[in-house]
Amino acid sequence: MEIREIKEDGYERIVVGIDKDAGLHGIVAVHSTRLGPALGGLRMWPYKNEAEALYDVKRLSRGMTYKSAVAQTGLGGGKSVIIGDSRTQKTPKLFQAMGRLIDSLNGLYITAEDVGTSVEDLEKVAQSTKWVSGLSREAGGSGNPSPYTARGTFVGLKACIEEVFGSADFRGKTFAMQGVGAVALPLGKMLTQQGAKIVACDINPDNVARAKRELNATIVEPDAIFDVTCDAFVPCALGAILNDQTIPRLKTRIVGGCANNQLAEPRHADALQSLGILYAPDYVINAGGIINVSCEFDAGGYREENAIPKVDNIYRALKEIFATAKTDRVTTAVAADRVAERRLAEGPKSRARSMQGGVER
Ligand code: NAD
């Protein structure tokens, strides 16, 4: 394999790997290991060219640094991509070659699942490197992250409700959920158990039927979700859905959900604030999955009972961000970045996690 190093300001390491025999054109970007080894998923996507892939992997790896810094996972930020079509171009050789590229970084970067890759693909990656997390419980990993992301989003919404309404009382409150997939379904169950009402939409008819059946949800057309009068708007589908067209339509006091990259542009955090809408920064409220995976690196390996209190800490993380936003007179999005940057400036609280052992299983 041909491995090429790219120097970029602000990034610790970026390596491009090309293995013609395996059909691999992949990139690993390590943004920061200041707080621990860089953990982030492996994305497979049909990027037009290397420049487009590089842009994406850099943006995503920096995002992981911030996410882990706020969530205090003891990990840094990194991400990797394979240029290719995940529907037609997956082969065992491809993922084994990607494993070799990851292995060349000697534990500086640890991979996981992401868009376009599955646990089965990661098992192939793990044939050539030990720096793989998020495998199944049977394979010694922490398993499906979605229920933990749901739990974290739930405690995050509790912090939001308390902030806006003065008490964490969900009874009779309406939550408008955009998308009712793997995270939103268990989240919806937690909300209804607390007496909340769900209005939902989805483009997948099976998921719509399931939400009606299991959440007793009122269903609206996908585009109509932005017009629902509610207490919290809960994005659980796509990115960039908070934009110039949708924000003026919102009739809510809170925006908080599991979707990644909800704001089309950073200025949309100001737009929400000026309408008096409390925004729970996406990378803070949706960190439950990464927090759960990070527990694979605990001494003695993954234990759910250690993961749960850390996921629940998202409640406190959001409270800290709301307080910082008030004292610094900034949006909650800026406040989240400030909390992350403060943690990065302070450095690791305890010794950074071991980079020697690989993932214990
Ligand atoms: P999922 O694919 O199971 O669920 C997404 C749902 O959104 C699907 O049911 C899909 O049909 C629906 N959807 C897509 N486009 C839509 C539209 N325009 N309108 C309405 N519904 C639409 O995915 P998931 O794992 O539940 O993740 C949801 C979001 O949360 C994603 O943005 C993901 O990146 C993010 N996230 C997930 C996790 C996790 O642990 N799974 C962790 C962090 C962030």
Side-chain angles (χ1 to χ4, degrees):
M1 178 170 6
E2 173 202 327
I3 297 181
R4 181 163 32 95
E5 187 95 30
I6 295 183
K7 295 274 172 227
E8 287 274 353
D9 279 351
Y11 289 80
E12 287 183 22
R13 295 285 301 275
I14 300 178
V15 288
V16 181
I18 296 179
D19 186 325
K20 291 220 167 73
D21 180 44
L24 175 73
H25 190 170
I27 310 178
V28 182
V30 175
H31 175 255
S32 169
T33 58
R34 170 121 173 106
L35 300 178
L39 191 138
L42 166 61
R43 182 167 292 198
M44 184 164 180
W45 193 255
Y47 298 106
K48 282 198 218 73
N49 48 42
E50 189 180 291
E52 199 183 273
L54 183 62
Y55 175 82
D56 204 33
V57 76
K58 278 170 51 186
R59 182 182 67 91
L60 294 165
S61 68
R62 185 174 182 277
M64 290 310 297
T65 297
Y66 279 65
K67 188 171 191 156
S68 254
V70 172
Q72 296 183 286
T73 59
L75 294 166
K79 203 91 181 180
S80 58
V81 295
I82 293 177
I83 303 174
D85 189 332
S86 64
R87 288 166 308 175
T88 56
Q89 291 179 309
K90 285 185 179 182
T91 61
K93 259 172 127 175
L94 174 76
F95 289 108
Q96 286 155 1
M98 190 65 195
R100 290 196 294 280
L101 179 63
I102 291 167
D103 208 55
S104 74
L105 290 166
N106 289 320
L108 214 57
Y109 168 70
I110 300 162
T111 199
E113 222 181 306
D114 197 64
V115 176
T117 61
S118 63
V119 168
E120 292 75 50
D121 302 330
L122 287 183
E123 282 165 3
K124 310 280 180 336
V125 174
Q127 287 167 2
S128 36
T129 183
K130 62 185 175 185
W131 305 110
V132 180
S133 66
L135 295 178
S136 66
R137 289 272 165 94
E138 299 76 53
S142 57
N144 177 8
S146 302
Y148 303 93
T149 306
R151 186 176 174 117
T153 308
F154 174 73
V155 298
L157 282 169
K158 188 171 150 198
C160 294
I161 295 278
E162 228 171 71
E163 182 75 13
V164 168
F165 298 104
S167 82
D169 189 357
F170 287 82
R171 279 172 302 173
K173 296 213 164 49
T174 300
F175 291 75
M177 306 185 87
Q178 184 189 37
V180 270
V183 176
L185 186 74
L187 170 61
K189 284 185 183 162
M190 290 181 233
L191 292 168
T192 52
Q193 272 160 16
Q194 296 298 318
K197 287 186 278 195
I198 306 291
V199 180
C201 73
D202 202 291
I203 53 169
N204 175 337
D206 292 341
N207 288 357
V208 164
R210 192 176 63 172
K212 255 196 217 166
R213 197 174 59 239
E214 299 191 26
L215 305 177
N216 196 22
T218 303
I219 304 297
V220 298
E221 287 301 312
D223 185 59
I225 199 75
F226 297 106
D227 303 315
V228 172
T229 300
C230 56
D231 297 292
F233 178 73
V234 187
C236 294
L238 308 168
I241 52 102
L242 300 170
N243 54 45
D244 292 340
Q245 283 71 45
T246 58
I247 290 174
R249 291 168 59 188
L250 294 175
K251 299 181 190 69
T252 184
R253 301 286 307 279
I254 294 165
V255 173
C258 68
N260 276 313
N261 304 320
Q262 293 168 24
L263 301 169
E265 293 171 40
R267 67 184 171 84
H268 291 115
D270 301 279
L272 288 169
Q273 191 181 45
S274 64
L275 291 172
I277 297 173
L278 178 70
Y279 169 61
D282 47 15
Y283 72 78
V284 181
I285 196 167
N286 75 10
I290 182 96
I291 294 170
N292 189 55
V293 161
S294 77
C295 295
E296 290 185 21
F297 307 95
D298 289 347
Y302 176 80
R303 295 172 79 121
E304 188 183 47
E305 61 270 33
N306 295 340
I308 298 278
K310 292 183 189 171
V311 171
D312 288 350
N313 212 27
I314 288 176
Y315 169 85
R316 256 194 299 277
L318 274 174
K319 289 259 176 182
E320 182 185 354
I321 283 159
F322 297 154
T324 303
K326 275 190 205 141
T327 48
D328 291 8
R329 294 170 186 269
V330 293
T331 63
T332 51
V334 168
D337 287 353
R338 287 193 181 172
V339 169
E341 282 156 12
R342 193 166 67 229
R343 297 251 161 80
L344 286 161
E346 285 164 6
K349 275 223 167 66
S350 50
R351 225 173 65 78
R353 289 175 188 271
S354 164
M355 295 191 201
Q356 303 306 317
V359 184
E360 277 189 46
R361 60 173 67 90

